[in-house]
Amino acid sequence: MKKLFTFAALSILSVGAMYAQEHSMRIHFNDGTSTLIKATDVAKITFESGETPQPGSDKMVDMGLSVKWAAWNVGGTKPSDYGNFYAYGETEPKTEYTIDNYKWLWEDWNDDPTLYEEWEHYLKLGATIAGTNYDVAHVKWGDQWRMPTREEWTELINSCKWSWTAIDGVSGMLATSQTTGNSIFLPAAGNMVDADHTHDQVGCFYWTASEYDATPEVECRNYRANLDGNNRSADGYDYPEVGFSVRAVYGPAPDPVDDFEAPTEAVDLGLSVKWAPYNLGAFSDGSLGIYLCWGEYAEKYYTHRYNYKYYDPITDSYQDLGESICGTQYDCATRCWGEDWRLPTAAEMQELIDRCTWTRSGYNVIITGPNGNHITLPAGETMNYRGKPTNSLSPVDTGYYLTGDAATGTYGNGKPKSDQCKGLRFQAAEGTHGLYDMYRGVGVQVRPVHK
């Protein structure tokens, strides 16, 4: 990466006079080091504007950390540029940053405190938006460019030497790696609240890609990095409609997988496959385990279209994961329990329906196979946006379970069911059970089968 030479004062009467007097020049760098060069070794002196070529490797700075860091802000073209301000999860700048023009608001929300809390006004976009279609760095720069997580910001903060300085007349923080010696400059662009540009040339405010990790029943906020001459941390959090800067990193997006201990053996019901003795994430046949969406393998505390991993909010479309995800990288049972386990196919679930005896046990069902062995499926409803099962305030009677098969056919308007998958639905009290086309982005239970 090119070093820019800055001179506190430089008087050059003539190059010839310098040569005659055998003068030397000392060049002082921003990190406190200097070097001495004989004037007779200098052919000419040029002053660079500070602009780094784009695109190219100069855009990426190796700070010796888990990810590479961008040399300038998203929306900028050089280190001293402010770039653009972005609301959390938005990919375009605005002139005003208000809750009324924030893009990801829940349309069904109203301000009746007996029905809804303040945080429910917002669509919570997931524990991290790194590498998703809500990630402005990924959307604008592509490849593995993305927003840094809170942990990656903390890594940068703790691994660098920091100084308050100015480049091109712009104040900000210079972070110098203690490993590689490379530096990045973070301009003190301040932030945008409503139409007001605040903290200009005073503080550096940057979005992380991480949601504030409290329980769902709190106001919706997201972590930010805040840096100035006295303090540096990624512990603060703010409302998503506020406009902050974004500094990109380069590297694979985090891919969390819930790791659970698999059963030591499966239950033989006398069918074509053996079934797990309990749900994924559970440790007994009567407990619910975790709620998962089709193709995902990490639990979320709330599920809806806008935080479904394979939904694109920009094009309102769904990623095609194939006709069946059984045993693939999208199979939560395989990812969480290992290669001996997978999601059941729709045909295997139908076999469970057709060849077994279903008996109500409270609001669960006991399923007895042709050979007399049995498993218990607890009823858990679905996980909704408010972070609790549907009908959680009344007796939970209905159970939903994933299969690995996509739904087939079309809706009445001819649109393919690309947002649906095949699942099991049973109602214990009514004694009904059958295959069911369910929305892929809703969290339900999983009962794996042994491969």
Side-chain angles (χ1 to χ4, degrees):
M1 186 176 179
K2 186 185 301 178
K3 277 192 175 179
L4 303 176
F5 301 159
T6 58
F7 300 84
L10 181 61
S11 299
I12 304 177
L13 300 177
S14 72
V15 174
M18 291 173 65
Y19 288 172
Q21 299 176 37
E22 288 295 316
H23 285 175
S24 298
M25 65 174 66
R26 183 172 292 278
I27 300 173
H28 298 266
F29 299 110
N30 286 328
D31 61 4
T33 62
S34 64
T35 187
L36 191 67
I37 300 176
K38 287 184 179 180
T40 53
D41 293 335
V42 179
K44 65 178 179 178
I45 298 173
T46 62
F47 292 87
E48 302 286 344
S49 68
E51 188 167 335
T52 310
Q54 148 171 297
S57 60
D58 288 339
K59 183 179 182 180
M60 187 187 303
V61 183
D62 182 3
M63 302 293 285
L65 305 176
S66 60
V67 290
K68 305 293 193 299
W69 282 77
W72 54 77
N73 289 350
V74 175
T77 58
K78 60 182 180 179
S80 58
D81 281 354
Y82 280 9
N84 294 323
F85 296 103
Y86 297 97
Y88 188 82
E90 294 188 358
T91 57
E92 298 297 335
K94 301 182 289 191
T95 56
E96 294 188 18
Y97 293 77
T98 68
I99 189 171
D100 292 331
N101 72 9
Y102 180 57
K103 187 172 185 177
W104 307 118
L105 294 177
W106 188 24
E107 60 185 13
D108 293 334
W109 183 85
N110 66 58
D111 57 3
D112 183 347
T114 64
L115 297 176
Y116 300 101
E117 301 176 43
E118 181 183 359
W119 71 267
E120 294 178 289
H121 198 173
Y122 301 90
L123 289 169
K124 303 183 82 169
L125 303 180
T128 178
I129 61 172
T132 71
N133 290 306
Y134 302 106
D135 181 337
V136 62
H138 183 66
V139 170
K140 297 297 186 183
W141 290 9
D143 198 13
Q144 292 188 40
W145 287 107
R146 59 176 176 81
M147 292 171 66
T149 63
R150 179 194 180 200
E151 291 75 19
E152 288 160 349
W153 264 109
T154 300
E155 180 187 39
L156 180 75
I157 290 169
N158 293 338
S159 303
C160 293
K161 294 180 180 179
W162 293 86
S163 60
W164 183 262
T165 187
I167 293 181
D168 299 335
V170 177
S171 298
M173 295 299 299
L174 184 71
T176 303
S177 169
Q178 300 186 66
T179 303
T180 65
N182 294 331
S183 299
I184 58 173
F185 178 70
L186 301 163
N191 57 26
M192 290 292 296
V193 180
D194 296 329
D196 299 326
H197 185 189
T198 69
H199 298 87
D200 186 22
Q201 293 289 284
V202 175
C204 310
F205 296 89
Y206 286 83
W207 279 125
T208 79
S210 302
E211 180 184 73
Y212 178 49
D213 54 0
T215 59
E217 293 79 17
V218 298
E219 56 194 3
C220 181
R221 299 198 185 191
N222 303 282
Y223 281 109
R224 55 169 167 76
N226 183 17
L227 309 100
D228 56 38
N230 299 313
N231 301 291
R232 291 167 292 280
S233 81
D235 296 332
Y237 42 89
D238 223 313
Y239 289 106
E241 71 266 19
V242 177
F244 289 145
S245 302
V246 172
R247 178 62 61 95
V249 295
Y250 187 89
D255 189 20
V257 178
D258 286 329
D259 186 18
F260 298 102
E261 184 176 349
T264 56
E265 60 183 58
V267 179
D268 182 3
L269 296 175
L271 305 175
S272 61
V273 290
K274 295 182 179 180
W275 287 77
Y278 45 78
N279 287 352
L280 189 63
F283 296 96
S284 65
D285 61 357
S287 59
L288 286 174
I290 61 175
Y291 291 82
L292 289 172
C293 301
W294 198 74
E296 296 185 355
Y297 30 81
E299 185 179 27
K300 299 181 294 194
Y301 293 110
Y302 41 87
T303 64
H304 56 95
R305 176 173 54 170
Y306 292 96
N307 78 348
Y308 179 49
K309 184 174 183 177
Y310 305 108
Y311 171 71
D312 183 346
I314 299 173
T315 61
D316 189 25
S317 61
Y318 293 82
Q319 182 177 337
D320 183 6
L321 305 186
E323 294 181 1
S324 176
I325 62 172
C326 292
T328 71
Q329 61 178 315
Y330 306 110
D331 188 322
C332 54
T334 304
R335 294 292 294 266
C336 297
W337 276 2
E339 62 181 11
D340 290 337
W341 298 91
R342 62 168 171 81
L343 286 165
T345 65
E348 290 161 350
M349 190 68 82
Q350 188 65 54
E351 182 185 40
L352 193 73
I353 294 168
D354 293 340
R355 298 190 59 200
C356 296
T357 302
W358 292 58
T359 308
R360 175 181 175 180
S361 176
Y363 290 100
N364 303 333
V365 292
I366 298 175
I367 303 172
T368 305
N371 63 4
N373 294 332
H374 71 271
I375 59 173
T376 300
L377 294 184
E381 298 283 352
T382 64
M383 178 60 70
N384 69 6
Y385 177 69
R386 304 186 75 178
K388 59 191 72 170
T390 51
N391 300 324
S392 60
L393 300 180
S394 61
V396 176
D397 172 56
T398 308
Y400 296 87
Y401 284 79
L402 289 177
T403 78
D405 291 353
T408 57
T410 61
Y411 292 104
N413 60 6
K415 185 178 180 180
K417 291 187 174 181
S418 58
D419 61 341
Q420 301 280 307
C421 65
K422 289 289 186 183
L424 166 71
R425 178 188 182 189
F426 68 80
Q427 293 178 295
E430 285 137 11
T432 60
H433 43 274
L435 289 181
Y436 178 75
D437 286 350
M438 66 175 67
Y439 177 56
R440 297 182 181 188
V442 67
V444 299
Q445 266 65 58
V446 175
R447 178 60 63 95
V449 296
H450 197 270
K451 293 170 68 171

